[in-house]
Amino acid sequence: MKSVNSLLRYLLVGGVNTALGFGVIFALMYVGWGAELANLLGYICGLICSYLLNKTFTFKSKNPHKRDFLRFLLAMGIAYGVNLLILLVCYRLLHINAYLSQIIAGVAYTLSGYCLSKFWAFKSL
C-alpha cells in the first residue's frame, strides 16, 4: 500500500510539474520570448519543481540536496533514455502509430522515473 501511495504522489507531482513547466513556457512566449528559450526555462523550472516535490512530498528524503539532486538528474536522464528507446522501437521498428508510440514511451518514462527515484535517487542513506 505504501508503494501505491508514493506512486500516486509521484503522478500528482508530475501533473503539478507539467502545469508549471507549460505555464512558464506559455507565459514567456506570451510576453515575447522566443519559443526555444521559453521551452528551456520552462523545463528547468519543471525539473526543479519536480525534484523539490519528489524529495519532500513523494519520497520524504532526508538525504543531503547535493546527493539527491545529482542522482535525480541522472535518474531522469536514464528515464528519458528509456523513453527514447521505447519510442524508437515502437515507432521505427514496430511501425506503431506515432501518437500511440509517444504514449507508450511516456508510460515507460513515468514508470522508470518512478522506480529510479524510489529505489535509487531518493533512497535513504
Side-chain angles (χ1 to χ4, degrees):
M1 187 66 166
K2 189 175 181 181
S3 289
V4 172
N5 288 336
S6 66
L7 178 59
L8 291 175
R9 287 191 304 269
Y10 185 81
L11 295 173
L12 179 62
V13 166
V16 169
N17 165 50
T18 300
L20 173 69
F22 279 118
V24 169
I25 291 167
F26 295 153
L28 291 175
M29 288 174 55
Y30 180 78
V31 298
W33 289 50
E36 295 84 358
L37 184 56
N39 181 273
L40 175 65
L41 294 176
Y43 272 88
I44 289 171
C45 289
L47 183 71
I48 292 168
C49 173
S50 178
Y51 165 72
L52 291 172
L53 288 177
N54 279 311
K55 179 176 176 61
T56 59
F57 174 69
T58 305
F59 301 110
K60 298 173 177 40
S61 174
K62 304 294 185 207
N63 300 326
H65 280 289
K66 183 178 180 181
R67 177 188 183 271
D68 280 356
F69 188 64
L70 292 174
R71 286 176 169 235
F72 177 77
L73 289 177
L74 185 56
M76 292 305 100
I78 293 169
Y80 178 75
V82 169
N83 172 290
L84 187 57
L85 179 64
I86 297 295
L87 176 63
L88 291 172
V89 167
C90 289
Y91 183 61
R92 298 290 180 192
L93 295 178
L94 302 177
H95 305 289
I96 296 173
N97 174 278
Y99 294 98
L100 182 56
S101 294
Q102 290 282 9
I103 291 169
I104 294 168
V107 169
Y109 173 83
T110 300
L111 292 176
S112 61
Y114 171 76
C115 289
L116 288 164
S117 292
K118 180 174 177 63
F119 298 112
W120 184 68
F122 295 111
K123 185 175 180 176
S124 295
L125 292 172

